[in-house]
Amino acid sequence: MGSKINIPFTSVLFVLFSLFCCLSVQLEAQLQVGFYSQTCPSAEQIVRQEVMKGFMNNQGIAPGLVRMHFHDCFVRGCDASILLDSTSSNTAEKDAPINNPSLRGFEVIDSAKARLEAQCSGIVSCADILAFAARDSIAITKGPFYNVPAGRLDGTVSLSTDVSKNIPSPAFNLSQLTQNFANKGLTQDEMVTLSGAHTIGQSHCSILTNVNQRLFNFSGTNGPDPTLDPKFLAQLQQKCPSGSNDVNSAVPMDPSSPFVTNVNYYCNVLANRGLFTSDESLLTDSTTASAVNQNSRNQYLWFMKFKAAIVKMGQISGTGGEIRTNCRVIN
């Protein structure tokens, strides 16, 4: 007969209590659709109204907010660290070269936050406001509407040095893109799907002439990227001349419908009219090229995939720990 092991009752209680605490933390960390239905029922409506106001004043606000959400989630998770202002002792994410001056829509977040603080103080996080605003920006540009799980907390750290290490470069090849998204828990197909957000908005010419260098000195050849459609290349070179230092010069991501969320991005890529090297890189592998072709032919399918992918991206864990009163500064 084996000897009987006696475990003190207090030890059993301690183990059970520890497991309960761990489970509680895990449950608290899970995001939920309708998170503010009881504590601030009009939260999503207020954000939607402010996005609409911003869009009516400047259509570029919509793609700006989508891009801001992406740049927030890929650096320290979805914790609104992108919204924090720089201080005398720290340069924040928003002032990293890839974000400044190209990011836009901060005033929309500020307006929504001010209204929410007036109606339900200390309840709605800035990170959730940004996630709602990105969703509404997709919808207002005739893209799909989707439910946004909420319950994020706002981070207290924002470092410009984190940006270049986490945001994919427009000069990335397919392997670099795939690895970058994998680092965030996203698959290659989800990468192709989310790349479709390039169907709206614009790119500053400096990206094409300095960072990506597709127009005049591609890969140090002193010539343009040979994969670019010649007619499209001529248009880009005219709008973004070599040596120009105009930080405000920009070209649309999709010239035919720059403020409509549709599958034109994939059609452009197939026609060698993708704006970035990273866009054209999707054709360098049979799997991703097939996905591009499939998305170009079936907008409904891409909408369904996009909704799932952006919701998943929006759940990349952040380091947040508070609900800011002002989205630009920590409490």
Side-chain angles (χ1 to χ4, degrees), residues 306-318:
F306 184 82
K307 290 193 295 183
I310 198 168
V311 167
K312 182 178 176 180
M313 184 196 79
Q315 298 185 72
I316 297 175
S317 297

Side-chain angles (χ1 to χ4, degrees), residues 41-200:
S42 58
E44 296 189 43
Q45 179 183 5
I46 287 174
V47 174
R48 190 172 301 121
Q49 290 171 350
E50 292 305 314
V51 171
M52 176 68 77
K53 289 179 186 177
F55 183 75
M56 295 299 291
N57 183 55
N58 181 353
Q59 288 183 305
I61 288 296
L65 289 169
V66 175
R67 183 167 178 256
M68 192 188 298
H69 180 43
F70 173 82
H71 281 221
D72 181 43
C73 291
F74 264 53
V75 181
R76 293 185 173 272
C78 309
D79 67 348
S81 54
I82 191 68
L83 302 177
L84 287 172
D85 283 345
S86 296
T87 66
S88 58
S89 60
N90 177 65
T91 303
E93 292 172 28
K94 64 167 58 172
D95 289 320
I98 199 171
N99 289 332
N100 186 5
S102 60
L103 281 189
R104 60 175 63 187
F106 293 104
E107 69 277 10
V108 172
I109 304 299
D110 291 339
S111 297
K113 182 61 173 175
R115 287 183 60 188
L116 288 167
E117 284 300 305
Q119 184 155 326
C120 24
S121 180
I123 298 297
V124 184
S125 71
C126 299
D128 280 342
I129 293 173
L130 181 52
F132 293 146
R135 181 267 312 276
D136 298 331
S137 296
I138 292 293
I140 204 173
T141 53
K142 301 183 180 180
F145 181 88
Y146 54 91
N147 290 320
V148 175
R152 299 167 186 82
L153 293 176
D154 299 324
T156 57
V157 176
S158 182
L159 304 173
S160 64
T161 52
D162 286 340
V163 176
S164 62
K165 296 181 290 187
N166 289 280
I167 299 299
S169 166
F172 270 6
N173 60 35
L174 183 62
S175 295
Q176 291 170 315
L177 274 179
T178 301
Q179 186 58 58
N180 178 270
F181 276 71
N183 291 343
K184 310 302 176 184
L186 297 165
T187 68
Q188 187 180 69
D189 188 65
E190 287 166 339
M191 178 271 290
V192 176
T193 298
L194 290 170
S195 294
H198 282 176
T199 191
I200 54 175

Side-chain angles (χ1 to χ4, degrees), residues 268-295:
N268 289 334
V269 169
L270 290 170
N272 295 317
R273 295 169 68 91
L275 208 54
F276 301 144
T277 297
S278 57
D279 296 324
E280 287 298 324
S281 75
L282 301 183
L283 298 181
T284 61
D285 174 83
S286 59
T287 300
T288 53
S290 176
V292 169
N293 186 58
Q294 184 182 53
N295 291 339

